[in-house]
């Protein structure tokens, strides 16, 4: 098990609602990346936070936003939920800069949008 | 054309067999190549990491990268039922760049 934790484990929302997902990074890691994994698909990069600033973003609309706090934990916020937002949301933490060989994934939050 | 192509399977093999998993990609800028294992209801776990072309071995696992063919492979020797999982190939242009994943191949090792 990695030291990355995510909450909640599961979540059910309806279309149009807003959701906040949380991630606690592994000790000593100051970079957090968020990924969306739809059923039967590989994870897709949403964005990365490094020292409380967004440090790269994938092809996701602005209704996907995030925050990183001074303790390096992070939140993913999704507004105006759509059915296609149903997925497993993964966060990964890593030491400075987010090197690809040192990213550790959390167990994910499974979001269902009805 | 997707940047990374991976056959989703499922792939079923008997215990003890050699498993071959592979991916193709289209972006010649990729330099870092990874294989992740994902068990049901868990996050991906990094198995193998290779920079540029070549082979890398770690226990029963061997990763191969052929940049001229844009083709990467993962071999699992002496497969065990505990190897049953989804295997995701992934790649990146730079060490600190976003990771692009394949769809994943579901592998079943039959006892």
């Amino acid at each position: 098990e990695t030291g990355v934790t995510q909450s909640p484990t599961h979540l059910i929302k309806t279309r149009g609602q807003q959701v906040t997902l949380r991630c606690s990074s592994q000790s000593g890691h100051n970079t957090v990346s968020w990924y969306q994994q739809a059923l039967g698909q590989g994870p897709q990069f949403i964005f990365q936070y490094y020292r409380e600033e967004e440090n790269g973003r994938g092809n996701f609309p602005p209704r996907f936003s995030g925050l990183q706090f001074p303790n390096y934990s992070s939140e993913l916020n999704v507004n105006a939920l759509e059915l296609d937002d149903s997925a497993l949301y993964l966060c990964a933490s890593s030491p400075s800069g987010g090197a690809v060989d040192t990213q550790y994934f959390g167990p994910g939050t499974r979001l269902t949008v009805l | 054309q997707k940047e990374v192509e991976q056959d989703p399977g499922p792939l079923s093999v008997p215990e003890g067999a050699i498993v071959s998993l592979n991916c193709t990609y289209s972006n010649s800028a990729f330099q870092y190549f990874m294989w992740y294992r994902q068990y049901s209801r868990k996050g991906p776990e990094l198995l193998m990491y290779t920079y540029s072309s070549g082979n890398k071995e770690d226990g029963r696992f061997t990763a191969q990268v052929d940049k001229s063919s844009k083709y990467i492979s993962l071999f699992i020797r002496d497969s065990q039922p505990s190897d049953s999982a989804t295997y995701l190939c992934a790649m990146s242009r730079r060490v600190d760049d976003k990771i692009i994943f394949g769809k994943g191949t579901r592998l079943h090792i039959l006892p």
Side-chain angles (χ1 to χ4, degrees):
Chain A
E1 293 285 334
T2 70
V4 181
T5 59
Q6 291 186 244
S7 62
T9 306
H10 296 93
L11 203 51
I12 299 174
K13 292 284 189 178
T14 56
R15 265 188 311 175
Q17 285 189 310
Q18 178 265 341
V19 69
T20 297
L21 310 181
R22 295 178 176 83
C23 172
S24 289
S25 59
Q26 185 156 314
S27 177
H29 288 187
N30 59 13
T31 305
V32 173
S33 302
W34 285 93
Y35 293 82
Q36 179 196 65
Q37 186 175 23
L39 197 62
Q41 304 293 317
Q44 274 197 290
F45 176 76
I46 304 175
F47 43 57
Q48 182 184 87
Y49 277 82
Y50 172 57
R51 292 186 176 175
E52 303 178 56
E53 299 282 335
E54 189 178 289
N55 182 40
R57 189 178 181 95
N59 290 333
F60 281 81
R63 58 189 186 84
F64 285 78
S65 63
L67 279 175
Q68 188 178 32
F69 301 99
N71 67 353
Y72 305 128
S73 66
S74 178
E75 284 183 357
L76 165 65
N77 299 290
V78 187
N79 293 323
L81 283 167
E82 300 176 1
L83 296 179
D84 284 350
D85 296 334
S86 294
L88 181 68
Y89 287 85
L90 296 160
C91 80
S93 77
S94 52
S96 293
V100 296
D101 62 333
T102 55
Q103 281 200 28
Y104 294 94
F105 283 84
T109 293
R110 184 160 300 282
L111 172 65
T112 302
V113 182
L114 302 176
Chain B
Q1 182 186 13
K2 287 202 155 211
E3 279 193 290
V4 180
E5 300 275 5
Q6 183 176 13
D7 186 334
L11 177 64
S12 296
V13 300
E15 182 177 355
I18 296 175
V19 175
S20 172
L21 305 168
N22 52 71
C23 290
T24 58
Y25 63 95
S26 58
N27 189 344
S28 57
F30 287 137
Q31 296 273 34
Y32 296 85
F33 304 91
M34 287 76 72
W35 285 94
Y36 288 82
R37 178 174 61 195
Q38 186 173 24
Y39 291 114
S40 181
R41 304 181 192 284
K42 300 281 191 183
E45 168 196 13
L46 181 64
L47 270 180
M48 301 287 287
Y49 161 76
T50 310
Y51 170 70
S52 195
S53 280
N55 294 358
K56 189 170 186 178
E57 189 173 318
D58 184 1
R60 296 184 296 112
F61 298 91
T62 300
Q64 287 185 351
V65 175
D66 181 350
K67 290 189 70 180
S68 62
S69 302
K70 296 191 179 70
Y71 187 90
I72 71 170
S73 301
L74 177 72
F75 298 95
I76 307 174
R77 290 182 298 283
D78 187 24
S79 55
Q80 305 293 312
S82 58
D83 294 328
S84 297
T86 296
Y87 288 80
L88 297 152
C89 64
M91 35 203 90
S92 182
R93 296 173 302 178
R94 302 185 312 271
V95 70
D96 59 350
D97 199 7
K98 64 182 179 182
I99 299 173
I100 308 298
F101 286 85
K103 278 189 173 184
T105 299
R106 284 182 296 143
L107 174 66
H108 299 288
I109 306 298
L110 306 170

